Amino acid sequence: MPYADNPAPIYVAYAEDHKMVRETVIDFMEKLGGIKFILQAENGRELIAKIENSPIKPDVCLIDIVMPIMNGFETVTGIKKMWDNIKVLVLSGYFSEEYFIKMILSEADGYLTKKSNPVDIHKAIIDVHETGIYNTELFSRQFVNEVRNKRKLPPELTAKELQLLKLSIEDKTYEEIAAIMNLTAKSVEGHRIRLFQKLGVKTRAGLAMYAVKYGYVTIDHA
């Protein structure tokens, strides 16, 4: 069994709102050895509360991004603010440079996709615990340093672009959006085109997905 020569397991906490995903990951990781999940939660707020109340703190937190109540970005920031010695590894279905950048700015220590091989996730937990970062080609020490030194930042949105982005998730026509923004329909169209180009999307649905994914708007979970 890997890491069987190390009698002290790495203690892990896991926030993931899908119970089946959470249980599957935990089962795989613990079977591979060297890791023990001591806390699990359905959202970031619940996880932080459990860490506060736990006599044993996790060495590593495994965090999803899209969760109700408190998303992954807020969760990573909250954990690092309260316990800067806890390493945070993101395990998400979303895999893009914009996400990497925002997570690096939130002080995450590594990033994997949920499509990763379980052995790779296991290795990432070990690596981030032992070296302080899960160093990959897309989440390298150099890239992390560039972002944290402000040499590489996410696209900056103007006030009008941000307002349009937030309104794009609502069921309104562009004429209605124009009225809310106190602009002509033609001006809204111009803002929309520039926003599409800046964010790399092609449809209004794409704008809405971007707004949700990056935390500009939230969706209530019943």
Side-chain angles (χ1 to χ4, degrees), residues 10 17 51 55 65 67 69 110 141 192 220:
I10 296 171
D17 61 326
I51 295 174
I65 291 180
M67 297 182 292
I69 303 177
R141 290 184 184 277
R192 180 186 68 85
D220 293 331

Side-chain angles (χ1 to χ4, degrees), residues 15 43-45 47-48 63-64 67 70-80:
N43 61 72
R45 183 181 298 172
L47 183 69
I48 289 174
I63 306 292
D64 187 21
M67 297 182 292
M70 180 182 283
N71 66 36
F73 301 111
E74 297 166 328
T75 304
V76 173
T77 299
I79 289 171
K80 286 296 187 176

Side-chain angles (χ1 to χ4, degrees), residues 159-183 188 195 204-205 207-209 211-212 216-217:
K160 291 295 185 183
E161 289 170 340
L162 183 58
Q163 186 180 15
L164 175 58
L165 181 62
K166 291 181 177 181
L167 288 171
S168 293
I169 200 170
E170 300 180 12
D171 188 22
K172 292 182 172 64
T173 66
Y174 276 118
E175 288 74 17
E176 290 172 327
I177 292 175
I180 293 171
M181 295 180 66
N182 196 28
L183 295 172
V188 169
L195 192 57
R204 182 174 175 180
L207 284 180
M209 287 299 295
V212 173
Y216 288 106
V217 297

Side-chain angles (χ1 to χ4, degrees), residues 6-7 22 46 60 70 75 82 98 100 111 131 134 150 152 179 183 187 198 212:
N6 183 2
R22 197 169 66 242
E46 181 185 357
V60 177
M70 180 182 283
T75 304
M82 298 176 72
E98 288 85 1
F100 301 154
Y111 196 118
T131 70
Y134 179 52
K150 309 302 183 185
K152 193 174 185 69
L183 295 172
S187 293
K198 181 179 287 190
V212 173

Side-chain angles (χ1 to χ4, degrees), residues 21-132:
V21 173
R22 197 169 66 242
E23 292 181 348
T24 299
V25 170
I26 291 173
D27 184 57
F28 267 118
M29 296 303 101
E30 292 193 338
K31 282 181 178 178
L32 287 170
I35 292 171
K36 181 176 179 59
F37 283 78
I38 59 171
L39 300 170
Q40 54 177 300
E42 295 184 355
N43 61 72
R45 183 181 298 172
E46 181 185 357
L47 183 69
I48 289 174
K50 286 187 174 183
I51 295 174
E52 283 186 292
N53 294 322
S54 176
I56 301 175
K57 305 305 181 190
D59 301 304
V60 177
C61 286
L62 201 59
I63 306 292
D64 187 21
I65 291 180
V66 180
M67 297 182 292
I69 303 177
M70 180 182 283
N71 66 36
F73 301 111
E74 297 166 328
T75 304
V76 173
T77 299
I79 289 171
K80 286 296 187 176
K81 183 176 181 179
M82 298 176 72
W83 306 282
D84 61 0
N85 60 314
I86 295 177
K87 302 304 176 186
V88 179
L89 190 61
V90 178
L91 182 61
S92 172
Y94 300 108
F95 206 63
S96 68
E97 185 176 274
E98 288 85 1
Y99 267 47
F100 301 154
I101 291 171
K102 193 166 182 180
M103 272 303 178
I104 290 170
L105 293 175
S106 298
E107 300 296 322
D109 302 296
Y111 196 118
L112 297 99
T113 172
K114 289 180 180 178
K115 294 181 180 179
S116 298
N117 186 298
V119 174
D120 292 332
I121 299 173
H122 185 263
K123 180 180 183 299
I125 294 172
I126 301 292
D127 285 356
V128 80
H129 173 62
E130 292 184 348
T131 70

